[in-house]
Amino acid sequence: GYKFSHRGRRSALRELAGMSCLKSCLGDASVGSAPPTGSSDGHNILLMTDGYKFSHHKQYPVSWMPEHARPGSQSGEYFPAVLFPPTSKAPGAKLLQLATVPGGGSDSLVLITNASTAVVKVLGPAEADAAADINYACAAVEYAGPLKATLVLSLSGDALAELGFPTTHAKVRVSNVDESKFKRGSSLNASFEGGYNVSYFTCRGYKEAFEPLATDGAGDHIVFFGLQYFIKEYLVGPVVTAAKIAEAEEFIARYMADVRIAGPAFAGGWDRTMFPRGDWEAMASGDYECTGVPTPGAVPGALPIKIEALPEGSIVAPGVAFFKLTNTHPRFYWLPNFLETLLVQVWYPTTVATQAREFRKTIQAYSVLSQRVSQVDFLPGERDFTPENIAADDLPVHIAQVFDLLDFGYRGVSSHETAGLGSGAYYTAGFEGSDTVAGSRMLLRHYNAADPKLGGTPVESFRAMFEQLHCATSVPAAEHSTITSWADMSPGADPAKYEADEYAAFVNMIRQYMPSFAVSLVSDGFNIWNAVANLWPSEKVVEGGEAGGLSMRAIIRARLKAGQLTLVRPDSGEGVETLPQLLSLFHATLPEAWESGLSPLRPLFAPTDPRQAEYEAVCESIRKAKGLPAGDNPFRRFVGQQFRILQGDGVALDTVGDMCASILANGFCVNAVHFGSGGGLLQKLNRDSLSVAFKCCAMYVGGRMYAIGKDPIAGGKKSYPGNPPVLRGADGVLRNRGTYDSAGKMLEAQPMSYAEFCSGVEGDVLQPVFENGTVLVDTPWSSIVSRAKVTGLDGTITRALSNLSAKAAFLQRFSSPEALAVRLAEASCGSKWMHCHPTKMAAMQAEPAFAALGLEKSAAKLGLTATLDSHALVAAIKEKHVCDKKAAKKVLAAIAESDMAAAEKAMKGKIMLTL
């Protein structure tokens, strides 16, 4: 999104009154009207599954035949007929196609009918005078004869050629028994009536960065999100058509071909034994019962599926059923798990939404510990960041957080669709700053309904929230090319001119977008330390042009006075180290950007809570490290929160806590930094992060419930046996119905009986959202965000305080006089630091801002003197004071594991992790 600003002039979008661009994209329907149904016509649902699932329709313990064709429904022998006879109310079976069996020669055939795909034996040529029971000439034909165990097939010349049969087989006897229907050994198939298969989606546990959540309260921290997108994009309307069936049949016949046989012996390399063409054609026509007319309740072309789901945005614990699939006609018992492959992909938006919420909780916890105060003083409501005020979500606290985490993930994900789903999930946490345009675009198309229960209140839809509340936004921002393109990087280019050009690029970028509320300037194209120490605080005026006469410092003052947000973006180094150093240098060079007279700290915990003593101790250690008087508020902050560092490199759920701890440990409020995350937010996760699974849990056959589950002896993947209703307990936690011990572990499942399956369970939070091609619930965006709000922070605050206490002493080294002396030495090498030239060290050490820090003495102690040229100075820093990559990696790993002794050892006396 930030690239919209790169042409260097104001965007014409400002002039688009009434958001006409949105109306042209989405239609002129009023806010709250039905959103587009997605683009299911562009997909083939028959092919959107795992390849091995093409064989599953014959593997279940049930089979289905039309009621008028089931064994025992007519006089004669008891067997499941492939070609069944007509009755007074229904036609006989329709033979759609004959095909060869791979490697079977002329000894077997595939009979593909409107009711089955059956492999039958060819019993040999029929007698010349034998009457044909059915004539096949490569076109569909109905069977009109009586029930017979063997049939005589008459094959036309074209049929013989197509099958590769000899002319002696122009008339053959074949078995008419469909062996695939017997399910020998199954107790569920006595009546050949099929059944109802219930399968559910769940997250089974927490792994990797999510592991601490398992012991945090009741463990309900997972944000359910994304199902509505998949329903609208892939399932709505007539998704099964003749053209898609034909495409799928040809693809699967080749794709599932037996790998052992190839060439002519393999009938050209096609296997048609696995595709249930009759079932798919029944879906396309709506004639589920083979009666010649649509079955009552069937919707031609639609999937005969019901989906019941929790409301999106619900906060859920592992093991709970998030949503369930059930076939709506017993013929299609195989369909719920056929759709698993597509719908289990809800793991991705659900995991990103959960991760975004945990990001928010982490930043909130450190906001509480640093006693952050919202800069929004013009709206009613509490401004202090306390757990109670965060839960209440008054506007001052809410607005202060909307840019705390920015989504930079568009370029780092695997596809455009991934970007849309991931960024859409990011917004569920209440954040509003994203450069991933695909996310808000996805929400405008798939999460754009108003809530009819609220009378269609306009701000319920995402589109209306976007128009009226600006709930998704990017800002004018520089990228490296828009800055580095100003400077000549040729080896012989003048270093002074090189630096002047970078400075001019800085001034130009902000001047171009001076009226904008927020601007972001990437500052590490060459030397971030020079940029922070010498360019950002410079009073140098860039002359020329109608808006000449501006310096960076003048720009900063003007924007602070106007309440505009200015962001400094480093994009390299390790944030746990560089953030306190950048803030420390800005505190020295831009004193006017910092608040004075901070309010005293208040107690955060009850006097008897041991965490209060721990908190007071760590605050005192910060005061001591920064030379502050006892009782002072040690958490320095920018004026009005309007000048901030934007840390967009290396930010992930497992690193952001340590970055926050380093900010606090070195005497700054967490609101001095915005965080931006790309791959760490949208890509550093997988299906196992929340142990996502989609499991068949029950079948309903013949008026009975059969509980189905998984319980491997190796453990870890046990599933709920039976169809679970989900109930909300007195404690507000959602659980599958059952009995539980005091620790919340299920002792016994209580699945739905057949009667409950038919009539429902009172209080079941799972509600129908989709049935037979139709969306039943179009969830308003605002309700999703409301459900996903953070209402409890106690566990996160405890972990944050423990993390800060354990690591503060080590992290404080990163803003020590020695560390800052190294950074100023780097800064003295200028923008073109890689060019050999005299440094600016002597001049910088004489400046009042740096002289007050007493860094000249520290630099001299480290052997970093003004007599060294830039090459010698950088070489001395790298050799004597910076960890090598292997050591730095060990230090960071030890910090992450809270093994500070190991971190200290890995530093080997060095001062810095990176240049």
Side-chain angles (χ1 to χ4, degrees):
Y2 73 103
K3 287 181 180 286
F4 295 139
S5 68
H6 285 180
R7 291 184 63 194
R9 60 180 183 175
R10 292 188 190 178
S11 169
L13 290 175
R14 175 186 295 275
E15 302 171 9
L16 291 174
M19 302 296 284
S20 59
C21 55
L22 292 182
K23 294 176 182 177
S24 67
C25 291
L26 300 177
D28 292 327
S30 61
V31 168
S33 62
T37 57
S39 55
S40 55
D41 284 347
H43 311 292
N44 191 336
I45 196 68
L46 285 71
L47 294 171
M48 298 181 71
T49 193
D50 297 304
Y52 72 102
K53 287 182 180 289
F54 295 137
S55 67
H56 285 183
H57 64 100
K58 293 183 179 182
Q59 296 184 37
Y60 285 93
V62 297
S63 62
W64 178 89
M65 296 183 69
E67 186 175 3
H68 61 276
R70 292 170 189 163
S73 62
Q74 300 182 29
S75 60
E77 297 180 70
Y78 184 91
F79 62 90
V82 181
L83 297 178
F84 48 82
T87 68
S88 59
K89 297 182 178 180
K94 179 182 287 187
L95 177 61
L96 304 175
Q97 184 181 358
L98 294 180
T100 54
V101 178
S106 57
D107 295 331
S108 56
L109 273 175
V110 185
L111 272 60
I112 303 171
T113 77
N114 60 337
S116 67
T117 297
V119 176
V120 300
K121 292 180 179 179
V122 174
L123 305 176
E127 299 80 4
D129 58 351
D133 293 298
I134 193 165
N135 297 296
Y136 179 72
C138 299
V141 57
E142 282 188 7
Y143 178 64
L147 180 66
K148 299 175 69 174
T150 61
L151 297 173
V152 175
L153 292 181
S154 175
L155 304 176
S156 68
D158 288 343
L160 286 172
E162 183 177 271
L163 296 171
F165 276 19
T167 55
T168 56
H169 284 55
K171 192 183 291 183
V172 293
R173 291 189 182 275
V174 298
S175 170
N176 192 32
V177 178
D178 190 346
E179 290 287 338
S180 70
K181 302 288 188 184
F182 275 116
K183 313 294 178 160
R184 291 177 175 86
S186 169
S187 59
L188 280 67
N189 196 45
S191 59
F192 300 88
E193 65 182 71
Y196 295 95
N197 175 347
V198 183
S199 297
Y200 72 94
F201 173 103
T202 189
C203 300
R204 292 179 296 205
Y206 297 112
K207 292 183 179 178
E208 300 155 352
F210 297 108
E211 285 184 5
L213 302 181
T215 55
D216 186 346
D220 52 335
H221 305 285
I222 302 170
V223 181
F224 171 45
F225 175 70
L227 175 63
Q228 185 165 293
Y229 166 83
F230 284 93
I231 289 175
K232 289 185 177 182
E233 183 69 15
Y234 297 106
L235 306 185
V236 170
V239 298
V240 183
T241 65
K244 292 180 180 180
I245 293 170
E247 177 194 13
E249 182 176 29
E250 292 306 304
F251 175 83
I252 293 168
R254 185 66 191 95
Y255 188 73
M256 298 303 291
D258 193 320
V259 297
R260 297 172 302 170
I261 308 170
F266 185 48
W270 307 88
D271 185 344
R272 302 186 185 278
T273 65
M274 299 186 201
F275 184 67
R277 177 176 165 184
D279 286 357
W280 288 114
E281 291 202 355
M283 293 183 218
S285 67
D287 180 12
Y288 298 168
E289 294 286 348
C290 302
T291 60
V293 296
T295 301
V299 179
L303 293 170
I305 283 289
K306 178 173 70 173
I307 302 178
E308 301 163 279
L310 301 175
E312 292 203 26
S314 293
I315 306 302
V316 194
V320 174
F322 289 52
F323 65 87
K324 298 188 296 191
L325 265 69
T326 309
N327 50 300
T328 57
H329 187 278
R331 176 174 185 170
F332 308 108
Y333 54 84
W334 53 270
L335 187 56
N337 285 82
F338 182 89
L339 296 172
E340 171 192 3
T341 308
L342 173 65
L343 293 181
V344 81
Q345 291 176 18
V346 175
W347 77 261
Y348 177 69
T350 290
T351 307
V352 174
T354 303
Q355 179 152 267
R357 187 172 185 265
E358 291 306 312
F359 263 112
R360 188 178 183 90
K361 287 165 63 179
T362 299
I363 298 169
Q364 286 174 337
Y366 286 97
S367 295
V368 171
L369 294 179
S370 57
Q371 305 215 8
R372 177 180 178 182
V373 179
S374 170
Q375 78 278 18
V376 181
D377 57 4
F378 52 86
L379 291 173
E382 296 293 335
R383 296 171 57 210
D384 291 332
F385 272 69
T386 67
E388 297 76 19
N389 293 344
I390 290 170
D393 202 35
D394 285 347
L395 280 175
V397 169
H398 177 87
I399 293 173
Q401 301 176 76
V402 295
F403 294 154
D404 278 0
L405 178 71
L406 306 177
D407 165 21
F408 292 165
Y410 208 160
R411 68 188 64 187
V413 293
S414 58
S415 69
H416 176 75
E417 182 177 40
T418 307
L421 281 168
S423 183
Y426 153 86
Y427 286 113
T428 64
F431 295 123
E432 297 182 3
S434 172
D435 280 316
T436 306
V437 175
S440 50
R441 298 291 298 158
M442 184 278 284
L443 295 175
L444 282 166
R445 292 185 177 277
H446 296 291
Y447 286 85
N448 205 32
D451 190 345
K453 296 178 182 177
L454 300 177
T457 305
V459 293
E460 293 299 304
S461 73
F462 185 82
R463 173 176 165 180
M465 292 180 73
F466 187 38
E467 292 182 10
Q468 300 176 38
L469 303 178
H470 212 196
C471 65
T473 188
S474 182
V475 302
E479 72 174 12
H480 290 104
S481 69
T482 66
I483 302 300
T484 59
S485 58
W486 285 64
D488 179 4
M489 204 171 182
S490 302
D494 178 22
K497 178 66 166 59
Y498 194 94
E499 184 162 318
D501 289 341
E502 183 184 19
Y503 182 70
F506 281 15
V507 173
N508 172 74
M509 189 274 150
I510 301 184
R511 182 183 66 80
Q512 294 286 355
Y513 296 99
M514 192 67 176
S516 297
F517 167 72
V519 293
S520 171
L521 179 55
V522 65
S523 302
D524 75 329
F526 304 118
N527 184 344
I528 182 65
W529 307 109
N530 181 59
V532 170
N534 295 314
L535 302 187
W536 274 91
S538 176
E539 296 280 13
K540 179 182 176 182
V541 172
V542 178
E543 301 291 350
E546 62 181 26
L550 293 174
S551 71
M552 283 296 289
R553 194 155 193 160
I555 287 171
I556 293 168
R557 292 192 192 106
R559 291 183 64 81
L560 286 171
K561 184 176 180 180
Q564 293 168 290
L565 176 61
T566 306
L567 298 169
V568 184
R569 182 163 75 93
D571 198 43
S572 48
E574 296 294 342
V576 71
E577 172 185 57
T578 57
L579 285 173
Q581 294 165 353
L582 293 167
L583 292 169
S584 296
L585 293 180
F586 273 131
H587 192 263
T589 59
L590 290 173
E592 66 268 35
W594 295 85
E595 287 188 14
S596 58
L598 299 178
S599 300
L601 297 184
R602 61 184 180 279
L604 293 186
F605 309 97
T608 56
D609 190 327
R611 291 178 297 178
Q612 181 59 31
E614 183 180 8
Y615 178 64
E616 291 175 356
V618 76
C619 289
E620 188 56 36
S621 77
I622 297 169
R623 294 187 191 100
K624 183 177 180 181
K626 306 317 296 179
L628 298 174
D632 268 20
N633 184 337
F635 302 116
R636 295 162 289 178
R637 57 204 74 194
F638 289 113
V639 171
Q641 198 176 315
Q642 300 309 316
F643 188 88
R644 303 176 84 181
I645 305 292
L646 172 50
Q647 177 66 26
D649 188 51
V651 178
L653 189 57
D654 56 0
T655 63
V656 70
D658 285 340
M659 291 184 190
C660 290
S662 191
I663 294 167
L664 270 63
N666 287 282
F668 298 99
C669 180
V670 77
N671 71 351
V673 176
H674 274 317
F675 293 98
S677 186
L681 174 66
L682 302 189
Q683 197 77 1
K684 195 177 179 180
L685 39 78
N686 54 54
R687 186 168 67 92
D688 287 336
S689 298
L690 295 175
S691 299
V692 170
F694 188 99
K695 294 301 174 187
C696 179
C697 60
M699 293 196 76
Y700 292 89
V701 181
R704 293 182 58 191
M705 187 276 289
Y706 295 86
I708 298 169
K710 178 179 177 181
D711 192 8
I713 194 169
K717 293 187 176 182
K718 183 176 181 179
S719 61
Y720 184 99
N723 179 10
V726 175
L727 307 177
R728 190 178 296 278
D731 57 359
V733 177
L734 295 171
R735 295 183 179 90
N736 296 336
R737 189 173 66 179
T739 57
Y740 293 81
D741 64 17
S742 58
K745 181 179 180 180
M746 178 179 284
L747 300 175
E748 183 180 1
Q750 295 177 344
M752 295 170 67
S753 65
Y754 181 80
E756 289 175 324
F757 172 70
C758 296
S759 60
V761 173
E762 184 177 357
D764 191 355
V765 186
L766 292 164
Q767 294 297 310
V769 297
F770 173 85
E771 188 166 354
N772 297 340
T774 300
V775 174
L776 303 180
V777 175
D778 199 348
T779 307
W781 175 250
S782 63
S783 65
I784 295 173
V785 176
S786 179
R787 292 186 194 100
K789 281 181 181 177
V790 175
T791 57
L793 271 178
D794 195 63
T796 312
I797 291 172
T798 298
R799 291 194 298 275
L801 177 57
S802 176
N803 192 52
L804 178 60
S805 297
K807 300 175 182 178
F810 182 87
L811 297 173
Q812 284 161 357
R813 72 180 55 228
F814 294 135
S815 66
S816 67
E818 292 78 15
L820 296 182
V822 171
R823 291 313 188 200
L824 287 178
E826 292 181 59
S828 74
C829 296
S831 296
K832 199 172 184 182
W833 61 272
M834 75 297 294
H835 178 276
C836 186
H837 58 268
T839 72
K840 299 178 287 187
M841 182 177 289
M844 289 175 59
Q845 289 175 344
E847 291 182 17
F850 302 132
L853 296 175
L855 300 182
E856 182 177 1
K857 182 178 179 180
S858 297
K861 179 182 176 181
L862 298 173
L864 307 177
T865 66
T867 60
L868 299 174
D869 62 31
S870 59
H871 275 192
L873 188 57
V874 170
I877 292 171
K878 290 178 68 174
E879 179 183 353
K880 298 178 181 180
H881 306 302
V882 178
C883 293
D884 60 35
K885 289 185 178 180
K886 187 175 181 180
K889 188 175 181 180
K890 287 183 178 179
V891 173
L892 293 169
I895 293 173
E897 294 296 326
S898 297
D899 188 347
M900 309 321 293
E904 185 71 49
K905 181 178 179 180
M907 288 290 295
K908 296 180 180 179
K910 298 294 179 69
I911 298 172
M912 316 299 290
L913 294 176
T914 63
L915 275 177

